[in-house]
Structure formats: structure tokens, C-alpha cells
Amino acid sequence: NAGVTQTPKFRVLKTGQSMTLLCAQDMNHEYMYWYRQDPGMGLRLIHYSVGEGTTAKGEVPDGYNVSRLKKQNFLLGLESAAPSQTSVYFCASSYSQGDREEDEQYFGPGTRLTVT
Amino acid sequence: AQSVTQLDSHVSVSEGTPVLLRCNYSSSYSPSLFWYVQHPNKGLQLLLKYTSAATLVKGINGFEAEFKKSETSFHLTKPSAHMSDAAEYFCVVSSSGNTPLVFGKGTRLSVIA
């Protein structure tokens, strides 16, 4: 049981390049999330998904796209990377979204992205 | 709308002394409140959560937090700090079952030997 995994762990991009971050979970969770973490800003929600084939915008969605073609995977895409997207990206998943025991969000180890 | 304010960006304590990390929240509805911990270069781990049951919540590693509705606070405490407690701590709020979590900006806890 690997929990939540993220690929890659590190990446350096040049401005204008594109890339896709992959998040995978093996807990059969319905909900998945992408956050970015910047110094002094906490975690901010980029996009999330409440189930296979559905996505929704979070607090800071601009410049990112997501897809949830399979229940266990949640992809985050940057079509044209900008230096402002330099950040640490965390994926999380949960069975549902609420205040029950099974609603806890489990986090991946993060992807450190630098855009030059 | 919901929000959370962590009152200190950095707290430094000596090993063996009490820890207090302060958090105030704003929510239109009865909130669920969480504390997460992030050790250096790691992901986030849930410490504890309040979900309208007991107002004093006990978590892992000896941490606890008390929900005070009149003060809109959810401060995190531990009686005796350990070196391994050095980490970033996030207070998090969710107003209802269908809203995503909102994170505070974090408090970095340093523990001095």
C-alpha cells in the first residue's frame, strides 16, 4: 500500500515549456486535490476532483489544467510554464470531503518545480 | 466564506518546555478544524481534528487542541516539547462537508536543546 505517490520529485523547466505532474493513489479514494505551497503562504488549492471524470477549480487555478481519467490518477498540467509557478506541489486524496474519520486527506511527498 | 489565521509565523521553545501554537478561524457555519504537521522536505500529516464532538481534541505525539467557539480559536498545545517536534504546523478549516480545506499560512516550530 503506497498511499499517495507523485511523479516526478524534482523538475526544472524553462519559461514557456510544458509539463505534467502525475499523482496516483491506491486507497480507492473518490476525492483528489492539487495544492501549491509557497513560503509564508501555506497551501493553496489549485484544482480538485470529486470523482473520475470530474474536476473543479480551487483558489489559484490560472495557468494550470487537470484531468481525472482514471479514479486512481490525477494529472496536473502546465501548458506554458512561468517563473511564478516555481513552487512545491502537493497532491492529496480522501475518501470523501467532510468531518468523518474517513474524510482525512492523505498527502503525497511533493514535487519541487523550478521555472527559470 | 471561511478563513484561518495563525498568529505566529515562528515559535521557538526549549526542549522539555510547553508548546503553544495559536490559531483563530472565521466560518459562516459550524466548522471542522484540523492541525497538520510538515517535517522538512516531507508531505503533510494529520495531527488531530475537531468535528463538533468533544471540544478538547487529542492527537498524535502528545499534541492536543481545544475548540473555543466564543473566542473562535483552536490553539495547539503540548506539555513538553521534543526535538522531533521541530516542523511546520498548519491550522486548517472546513465549513461544511462539501467545501475544500482552507489552510493557514503555517507556524514554524523550532526546538532548542
Side-chain angles (χ1 to χ4, degrees), chain A residues 3 6-7 11 21 27-28 38 41 45 53 59-60 70 81:
Chain A
Q6 294 182 230
T7 308
R11 185 72 186 268
L21 280 66
M27 296 173 281
N28 200 34
D38 302 292
M41 299 293 290
L45 183 65
E59 180 185 355
V60 288
K70 293 183 179 180

Side-chain angles (χ1 to χ4, degrees), chain B residues 11-16 19 81-87 109-113:
Chain B
V11 170
S12 183
V13 301
S14 298
E15 190 175 21
V19 175
H82 191 272
M83 295 297 290
S84 60
D85 295 328
L109 175 66
S110 298
V111 182
I112 304 166

Side-chain angles (χ1 to χ4, degrees), chain A residues 9 12 16 33 37 47 55 57 66 72 83 85 87-88 105:
Chain A
K9 290 185 168 52
V12 178
Y33 314 82
Q37 182 180 27
H47 287 279
T55 62
K57 293 181 180 179
V66 288
Q72 64 268 33
Q85 294 178 304
S87 187
V88 181
Q105 288 193 19

Side-chain angles (χ1 to χ4, degrees), chain A residues 4-49:
Chain A
V4 180
T5 58
Q6 294 182 230
T7 308
K9 290 185 168 52
F10 302 94
R11 185 72 186 268
V12 178
L13 286 180
K14 294 186 187 303
T15 298
Q17 287 185 320
S18 63
M19 77 163 294
T20 300
L21 280 66
L22 171 64
C23 176
Q25 53 93 5
D26 61 2
M27 296 173 281
N28 200 34
H29 284 169
E30 290 292 335
Y31 288 65
M32 297 187 74
Y33 314 82
W34 275 108
Y35 297 89
R36 60 177 288 173
Q37 182 180 27
D38 302 292
M41 299 293 290
L43 273 72
R44 293 180 292 170
L45 183 65
I46 304 172
H47 287 279
Y48 65 102
S49 168

